[in-house]
Amino acid sequence: MAFEELLDDPVVQKYLHELVGPKGMPVAVSPPDGEVTDEELAERLGLELNDVRRALFILYENDLATYRRVRDEDSGWLTYLWTFDYDNVPPNLREEMERLLEALVERRQYELENEFYLCEVCSIRFEFAEAMDLGFECPECGSPVEAMENTHLVDAMDERIENLRAELGVKA
């Protein structure tokens, strides 16, 4: 996938937003060609230097940016020259989807194996054992807790699990 197409993909944009946050998005979506310093990026984008550095470090941690250090001979200061490499975005997204699938499968199992009770006033959910220990009364407001049906939640998880498996090409 071409670099520009990659950045136009809403899934990729959401992924980058989750990584760097709203202050880091200008850095993530407008990478320069070649090497650039954090100061140059901050000036070009009109951002605080700390916000740019934070975004660069997060991109680096996720293998989406690299840097090399150059020492100024006169002052001894180190300059970091950053390069963006978004070739790892598709495999990173796949890993995220695999983690999500695993978490959903575990959560689905938890939902199926437990009985839940709900305080409709406070919207607090309790497992059966906890509700029993509380005398089936909400500790926050004193209202009775009622048995909660969670089949709609399990059904939604089933649909999401099925979609993720199809997207990943994984069988149940």
Side-chain angles (χ1 to χ4, degrees):
M1 183 180 292
F3 186 72
E4 292 78 21
E5 289 176 28
L6 190 67
L7 289 177
D8 287 340
D9 186 333
V11 174
V12 172
Q13 289 179 12
K14 176 79 172 151
Y15 170 69
L16 292 172
H17 188 273
E18 290 295 318
L19 285 178
V20 299
K23 290 184 178 181
M25 273 306 280
V27 175
V29 298
S30 58
D33 293 329
E35 295 180 319
V36 65
T37 66
D38 48 4
E39 291 93 353
E40 291 168 345
L41 265 178
E43 185 175 320
R44 190 179 98 203
L45 298 172
L47 298 173
E48 294 289 324
L49 185 56
N50 284 341
D51 293 334
V52 170
R53 287 179 175 161
R54 180 184 171 280
L56 288 169
F57 184 70
I58 291 169
L59 292 171
Y60 171 77
E61 284 181 323
N62 288 277
D63 297 324
L64 302 176
T66 58
Y67 66 86
R68 69 182 180 95
R69 290 185 296 221
V70 178
R71 186 175 299 277
D72 184 290
E73 295 296 326
D74 298 329
S75 67
W77 288 87
L78 287 174
T79 300
Y80 289 80
L81 298 170
W82 292 89
T83 307
F84 291 76
D85 180 13
Y86 284 178
D87 290 342
N88 288 328
V89 167
N92 286 5
L93 279 173
R94 182 173 180 87
E95 285 178 26
E96 288 290 320
M97 289 170 64
E98 288 168 351
R99 276 195 292 272
L100 177 59
L101 176 59
E102 184 179 324
L104 277 171
V105 167
E106 287 177 18
R107 180 58 187 256
R108 180 186 180 278
Q109 194 62 36
Y110 170 76
E111 291 293 328
L112 290 173
E113 292 174 352
N114 290 283
E115 187 176 334
F116 298 97
Y117 287 78
L118 177 70
C119 171
E120 293 187 9
V121 175
C122 299
S123 297
I124 300 174
R125 191 170 90 149
F126 304 95
E127 289 181 12
F128 174 77
E130 187 179 6
M132 197 166 99
D133 289 345
L134 296 169
F136 296 95
E137 193 174 278
C138 178
E140 296 294 318
C141 70
S143 297
V145 295
E146 303 292 331
M148 179 187 163
E149 182 62 49
N150 66 349
T151 53
H152 62 284
L153 182 59
V154 172
D155 290 345
M157 286 181 192
D158 286 341
E159 184 179 337
R160 185 70 174 122
I161 288 168
E162 184 180 319
N163 290 341
L164 279 169
R165 283 183 173 146
E167 183 78 23
L168 292 168
V170 174
K171 298 207 186 271

